């Protein structure tokens, strides 16, 4: 896991923490205005925390290093 992967995960957990903070603030103050902020950070955390699969390379049957 490279530094970019670690940074992406850290940003995802930070965004998830911000969701919890905005939900609690909305509950405490009884104000719906915190909901769009919490929703936006929820989307950002999902983007950051969803695992990305390895990209597959399409070779079309051409293999380097084979004898012709």
């Amino acid at each position: 896991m490279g530094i970019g992967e670690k940074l992406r995960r850290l940003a995802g957990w930070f965004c998830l923490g911000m969701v919890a903070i905005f939900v609690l603030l909305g509950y405490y103050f009884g104000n719906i205005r915190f909901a769009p902020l919490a929703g936006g950070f929820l989307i950002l955390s999902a983007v950051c925390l969803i695992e990305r699969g390895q990209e597959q390379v399409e070779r079309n049957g051409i293999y380097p290093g084979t004898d012709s």
Side-chain angles (χ1 to χ4, degrees):
M1 181 162 40
I3 189 75
E5 182 74 19
K6 289 180 183 178
L7 187 61
R8 188 176 60 88
R9 286 183 164 271
L10 181 66
W13 283 108
F14 175 76
C15 289
L16 205 58
M18 292 299 290
V19 169
I21 287 172
F22 284 126
V23 166
L24 288 174
L25 283 173
Y27 180 75
Y28 180 75
F29 290 114
N31 197 340
I32 195 69
R33 291 183 184 174
F34 290 104
L37 289 172
F41 277 107
L42 184 65
I43 292 170
L44 282 175
S45 68
V47 167
C48 291
L49 290 176
I50 290 178
E51 295 291 328
R52 295 182 186 160
Q54 294 290 331
E55 294 182 15
Q56 294 181 356
V57 178
E58 187 174 321
R59 297 203 184 259
N60 294 327
I62 300 171
Y63 298 102
T66 57
D67 293 333
S68 55

